[in-house]
Amino acid sequence: MSIISAISNFLEAYDVTYRQVLVGGLVIYGTTLALYRLYFSPVSHIPGGLLSRLSMLYVRIMVTLGKLPDLCEDDYYNYGDIFLSAPDIVTISNPDDCRAVMGTYDFIKDKFYESFRLVDETIFTTIDAEFNMLGRRLIGPAFTPASLQKMEPTIMECGLLAIKRKWDKLIGENGREANVNFNTDFTLATFDIISTLVYGKKFRALEKGERTIVKWVEKYNWLAHIKAVIPSVAEFPLNLLCRPLLKNCKEFVGFTSTTVEQRREQIRQGEKVPYDLLQALIDGEELEARAKLTPSQVTAQSIELLGAAIYTTADTITWTLHYLMLYPECYRKAVDEVRSIFAPDHLIGYSEGRSRLPYIEACIYESLRICAVSGFLLPRVVPPGGATFQGYFIPAGMTIALNIAGMNHHRSLWRDSKRFMPERFIERPDLKHQVMSFSTGVRICPGRALAWVKIMTILSNLLKDYDFSLPADAQYSPDRTDTNGLPVAMPRTHSVTVGPKHPERDCILVVTKRLL
Ligand code: HEM
């Protein structure tokens, strides 16, 4: 008698259907798994929300809905230094613990980072320490103060000055004032800056409204976001569902590799080429180093730099201006500071802005802290031998996630942490080193100095040259407060960075030329 007929006979004898067996099996499996996760897994004694402890599904749903930043912050306030974000994701928020993890290559990046991989390995996606160090060595020289100073004219021209031209034109057309979507303008300006530095070409997205590449970057980010939730989405048959996104990435890669090839040709022809980010990468192909970048790695890296630099910087400027509008006394102080130091016709360069505008610098730190554009989880794998945090042992192979929002709101460092309070950095400048928005350790953001140049030059000059106010119908203003009496910030969402959820509604400001 075959096994199948034996089972059939057994089911018939007890009057049980296959369906009942299937449902019963699933119930037993689900219950056993739930009991294991809640009471018997090696990390079951770590605190965390019931849904997070039961299934990975909860965090995936939150990621899909763009709610991860809110979850990270709320979970820190609810559970403290260590908690479970999913049955096998232990999240840590204690700055010392996070530094211990990030200070070494032992805790490699989790497979989540594969969702960002497009054509080849990059500084960001790699888990290979040697390759990461090589990439960082190559782009490092582009981010020294001397190199950034050389790039500053481009940064000014494509960033601040392009924004000013656009706003002045709008104001001129409207009479005295104009309504601007500052998030869109900061995004296009930061795109124009970074694309000039990466492709060596000016696209003038802000001026001409030409957004092809911005859309490519947006869709590349979306694909990465979807891959983070459904890793097999780029494989058959799911790839059929996101054909337009995959086609978009192909075009993006094609355009980038052609541009890289054009630069190589210029070099071969002996033409003078600018020193920019692309050049730093191409130089890497020529290095005598044992490991050097292949052409497809240069393409992949160029795309990554574009993706890493646009929304991070634009959204940071956006949040800073938004918080200044919610806290008018801070806005007033920032404006008074810059206008008392610099003449109306002075173009504030980065280093003078950074050294002479401590309050505006403090506003930027506070915005990076209170709503980090990277305010979500950075997942790493626990190395062989396991690791102990806050008295809990975490076995090798489990994911440990660093909670940037948790560190930036940590009770031990930040008094009244939900309040936008730039003064904290004036009273205690040492706190600047505790803002974790650029991460920390061996994989700290290599582009942070460039980001600072863009943020500081754009913000300080705009505050000097324009008066900003909220439109009459603004939904988020100083008058709309929460139960603690603090102004409610506009809702945020998360794809690759944490940005405004409804920029078309919440990022409109009335701009007038400064009255002399
Ligand atoms: C306000 C602006 C920015 C913020 C807040 C920011 C934040 C971060 C954070 C938190 C990481 C670590 C991510 C992780 O480990 O998962 C990171 C990595 C990285 N960032 Fe940035 N970033 C900013 C701007 C930039 C810019 C302008 C560039 C380049 C032009 C850049 C290039 C990179 C690269 C290549 C990495 C990967 C580093 C590695 O894995 O070794 N970022 N950034």
Side-chain angles (χ1 to χ4, degrees), residues 109 113 123 132 136 309 312 316 378 380 437-438 443 445-446:
K109 283 189 168 181
Y113 288 88
I123 296 176
N132 179 263
R136 296 179 71 97
T312 47
T316 300
L378 310 186
R380 301 291 188 264
S437 311
F438 289 108
R443 303 205 64 168
C445 173

Side-chain angles (χ1 to χ4, degrees), residues 102 109 113 123-125 132 136 139 143 194 277 301 304-305 308-309 312-313 316 368 373-374 378-380 404 436-439 442-448 450-451 454-455:
M102 300 305 259
K109 283 189 168 181
Y113 288 88
I123 296 176
F124 182 65
T125 58
N132 179 263
R136 296 179 71 97
I139 60 166
F143 297 125
I194 194 71
L277 292 172
Q301 194 57 63
E304 175 176 287
L305 289 176
T312 47
T313 318
T316 300
L368 279 166
V373 296
S374 51
L378 310 186
R380 301 291 188 264
I404 296 224
M436 290 291 171
S437 311
F438 289 108
S439 182
V442 291
R443 303 205 64 168
I444 190 171
C445 173
R448 59 199 186 285
L450 172 62
K454 294 191 275 180
I455 299 167

